[in-house]
Structures are given as C-alpha cells and as structure tokens.
Amino acid sequence: MLGFVSALGAASTAVQEAMPSLKRLADLLPLTHSGEISRHGEAGGYSYAVHGFGCRLTGLDGIDIDVDFAADGAEIFDFWRLRFYGRSLPASVDPSAEDLRSAVEELKGLLTEVRPGWFTVSGPHQGAGPASNASRT
C-alpha cells in the first residue's frame, strides 16, 4: 500500500514537472478534453493514458499506477487499482481484498475512504519512487 502511495507521488511530481501547465495531475483531463494534449503521451519518464475519470501512468520500469479523479481533483483509487499496481511490480504481488482492507485499516492516518471502497491520500504523498516488494504494496 505504501509502495502505491509512493509511486503515485513520484509519478505525479514527475509529470507535473514535465508539463508546467499542470497544477495537479487531474488537470490532464481538461487538457485532453480541450485537445491541448493527446489522451496518450509521455511526460517526465512516464507514459500516460487518460481514461474516463482518470489516468494510468506507466513508468519506464513497467510499473502501472492507475487513479480516477474526484470532483475536487483528488486522486482516488480502489482495490482493483491497488491490485493492478501490485501485479505490475517486478516481483509481482496479488494481495487479496482482505489483505488490502487490512492494509487500509492500518493506514487510516494516511488514507481516507472517500466513498465505499475508494480511497485518497490524506496528506502529501509519501516518499519518492516505486517500491518493489510485497510488503510495500
């Protein structure tokens, strides 16, 4: 879980630094809707694919971070996205829903459940760069 939060923070920072017009990652949506940028592209060492209400970011290492955006622009994710991330790690991890729920409970100070089964990072993203082991999913 912490690995996902760290990877999300690193990816968000890298993409924002590469695209100065972004104040936050959610700004990718209006930029693609207006045609200013493509739905698929590369920025800051990540390829991005804007979809529906969110975006998938893939690092050069093949690690995938997929989030949706809440109405206020917050990055939100569910267990499916956490498992998708875990499966993309070099040492693939596929935690059960029960394991993920336990991890979320342990991180109540860091994560907030914004609606049933959907979470956001409560404070600033932790760390920089993706973790690659099972204990950090």
Side-chain angles (χ1 to χ4, degrees):
M1 186 75 65
L2 289 175
F4 177 86
V5 171
S6 178
L8 174 58
S12 180
T13 297
V15 171
Q16 288 177 58
E17 287 175 357
M19 300 175 79
S21 60
L22 295 182
K23 291 183 181 167
R24 57 190 181 168
L25 199 55
D27 292 339
L28 287 169
L29 292 177
L31 290 174
T32 59
H33 293 152
S34 70
E36 290 181 53
I37 63 172
S38 171
R39 285 184 140 338
H40 301 273
E42 294 186 14
Y46 290 84
S47 46
Y48 67 85
V50 174
H51 57 73
F53 295 105
C55 180
R56 184 181 73 236
L57 300 165
T58 305
L60 297 173
D61 53 8
I63 295 175
D64 289 310
I65 304 113
D66 193 310
V67 294
D68 272 4
F69 302 111
D72 67 358
E75 300 148 347
I76 60 174
F77 48 90
D78 59 1
F79 290 152
W80 181 87
R81 284 164 177 75
L82 292 170
R83 291 181 79 198
F84 184 72
Y85 163 80
R87 291 179 195 143
S88 74
L89 294 171
S92 182
V93 179
D94 193 7
S96 68
E98 193 173 291
D99 290 339
L100 290 169
R101 176 57 71 183
S102 292
V104 165
E105 289 297 318
E106 290 176 16
L107 296 173
K108 279 194 173 183
L110 176 63
L111 302 179
T112 300
E113 191 166 11
V114 294
R115 62 181 186 246
W118 286 84
F119 307 91
T120 190
V121 178
S122 303
H125 296 126
Q126 304 298 306
S132 61
N133 61 44
S135 65
R136 300 286 317 252
T137 304

